[in-house]
């Protein structure tokens, strides 16, 4: 029997790189595409193409001959990045997404999975730290995150329309803050778990680190292994409507810092900077529909996932220091 064939866009990025490895282990033939190669280790893809998916001709060139498209390519980052570049992110992702789904239809691709985001949910439901977990139907009436979230919401609708009008089996997966080894940990696009691991790794026991906001804002965080397994299970399901993929283990940012410090075996003093980007006050995933569709949900506890994540980031921070790279955030020495 011939192997199943998959295209993974964004295969040079965090989730795409892990997904390629997962699919290869499942005996898929995988074509990875990205505007850059993976930064931290070689891709496991059978074929890897470097090209710019904002261009329609590149989308058409890479899409043929596969059974499944896992479309993860996007201009994305943590809240510091997505709240600062609305025009650029919106135009880049609009071009990438419209051209990819159009190319998929032209090439008669049967299955197309889109990586959406919890950023599609309305801001008016996320003003409190003890937030009610977000259900899929809460996305409307809409008031998504400016730029990045609004574009994700529109692409979900394009997936719905292409499913209804052209019969493509589309999937829209709303990821809730994903972390793990081999994820961006510096440079400005990093999300809170990686940023906090980097900050803790970069200081001595008893030193001070800077936390954005007052530390009372809340999130749930999903470990990368659960994320790629969830992506695969959702692709194989028959559920075309948007679906949350996250955990419902709600923690404050200060609690996240304490867990990282505990994993590192350090005590850190927190200073809070409320002038930094904070995003919504509270966000959690309601996994009822995920459980009923898949009979499965992410199960890695935050502390467990942070053990391997911290170990990897700590090693990167040490290597950066040996190479003489300047620390992303200078340490504040203990009194
Ligand atoms: P990432 O930035 O590591 O990966 C995205 C990849 O897309 C990058 O490697 C980037 O080079 C590539 N890309 C950007 N522009 C491109 C272009 N013009 N042509 C080709 N490739 C291009 O991010 P990630 O965390 O792996 O996220 C993957 C997907 O999941 C994205 O669609 C993102 O919006 C979505 N998502 C991620 C999270 C999260 O917490 N990581 C949360 C919600 C949604
Ligand atoms: N990035 C970052 N860096 N965030 C920090 C830091 C820090 O050093 N210190 C505290 N935080 C706080 C932020 O202020 C925010 O309140 C919270 O940690 C989470 O920040 P991020 O992880 O950067 O982003 P987010 O959860 O608001 O949004 C992310 O997740 C979405 C999906 O759930 C983004 O990556 C979005 O792009 C993504 O779609």
């Amino acid at each position: 029997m011939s192997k199943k064939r998959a295209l993974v866009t964004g295969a040079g990025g965090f989730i795409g790189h892990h997904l390629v490895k997962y699919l290869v282990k499942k005996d898929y033939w995988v074509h990875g595409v990205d505007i850059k190669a993976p930064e931290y280790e070689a891709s496991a893809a059978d074929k890897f193409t470097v090209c710019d998916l904002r261009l329609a001709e590149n989308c058409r060139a890479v899409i043929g001959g596969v059974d499944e498209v896992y479309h993860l390519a996007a201009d994305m980052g943590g809240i510091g990045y997505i709240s600062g570049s609305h025009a650029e992110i919106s135009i880049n992702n609009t071009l990438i997404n419209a051209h990819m789904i159009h190319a998929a239809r032209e090439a008669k691709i049967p299955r197309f999975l889109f990586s959406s985001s919890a950023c599609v949910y309305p801001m008016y439901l996320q003003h409190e730290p003890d937030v009610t977990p977000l259900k899929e139907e809460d996305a409307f009436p809409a008031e998504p995150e400016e730029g990045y979230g609004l574009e994700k919401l529109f692409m979900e609708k394009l997936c719905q329309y292409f499913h209804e009008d052209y019969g493509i089996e589309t999937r829209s997966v709303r990821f809730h803050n994903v972390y793990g080894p081999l994820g961006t940990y510096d440079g400005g696009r990093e999300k809170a778990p990686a940023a906090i691991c980097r900050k803790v790794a970069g200081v001595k026991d008893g030193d001070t680190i800077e936390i954005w906001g007052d530390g009372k804002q809340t999130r749930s965080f999903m470990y990368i292994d659960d994320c790629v397994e969830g992506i695969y299970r959702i692709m194989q399901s028959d559920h075309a409507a948007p679906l949350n993929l996250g955990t419902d283990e709600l923690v404050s940012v200060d609690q996240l810092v304490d867990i990282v410090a505990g994993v590192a075996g350090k005590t850190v003093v927190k200073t809070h900077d409320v002038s930094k980007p904070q995003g919504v006050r509270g966000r959690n995933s309601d996994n009822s529909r995920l459980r009923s569709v898949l009979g499965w949900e992410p199960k890695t506890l935050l502390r467990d996932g942070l053990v391997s994540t911290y170990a990897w980031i700590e090693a990167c921070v040490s290597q950066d220091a040996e190479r003489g790279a300047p620390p992303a955030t200078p340490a504040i020495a203990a009194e």
Side-chain angles (χ1 to χ4, degrees), residues 47 83-85 92 112 134 145 147 162 186 213 224 227 260 294 328:
K47 177 179 174 186
S83 56
S85 324
N92 287 343
F112 182 97
L134 295 156
E145 183 84 39
F162 274 59
D186 66 0
I224 184 66
C227 179
V260 172
L294 298 184

Side-chain angles (χ1 to χ4, degrees), residues 77 79 117 119 148 177 190-192 195 199 212 217 219 277-278:
I79 194 65
S117 168
C119 287
Y148 174 79
N177 208 319
E190 64 277 15
K191 290 169 281 107
K199 289 177 184 181
W212 297 1
Q217 67 271 44
R219 296 288 186 279
Q278 291 159 60

Side-chain angles (χ1 to χ4, degrees), residues 80-139:
Y81 181 72
I82 64 166
S83 56
S85 324
H86 291 153
E88 200 181 343
I89 289 174
S90 302
I91 192 69
N92 287 343
N93 291 340
T94 299
L95 290 169
I96 294 169
N97 288 337
H99 288 144
M100 275 306 302
I101 197 162
H102 194 237
R105 187 222 161 187
E106 285 176 340
K108 300 187 168 39
I109 301 297
R111 276 176 191 259
F112 182 97
L113 181 142
F114 169 57
S115 52
S116 187
S117 168
C119 287
V120 302
Y121 285 114
M123 311 291 270
Y124 61 79
L125 293 178
Q126 303 174 80
H127 288 322
E128 301 299 330
D130 58 342
V131 64
T132 304
L134 295 156
K135 289 189 172 70
E136 284 77 359
E137 60 268 31
D138 291 336

Side-chain angles (χ1 to χ4, degrees), residues 129 212-219 251-254 278 280-282:
W212 297 1
D214 65 3
K216 295 185 172 57
Q217 67 271 44
T218 55
R219 296 288 186 279
V251 294
S252 70
V253 168
D254 275 352
Q278 291 159 60
V280 294
R281 192 72 179 137

Side-chain angles (χ1 to χ4, degrees), residues 105 157-170:
R105 187 222 161 187
K157 294 306 277 185
L158 273 186
C159 288
Q160 178 195 325
Y161 304 149
F162 274 59
H163 176 65
E164 290 166 356
D165 293 0
Y166 305 131
I168 303 180
E169 282 298 334
T170 56

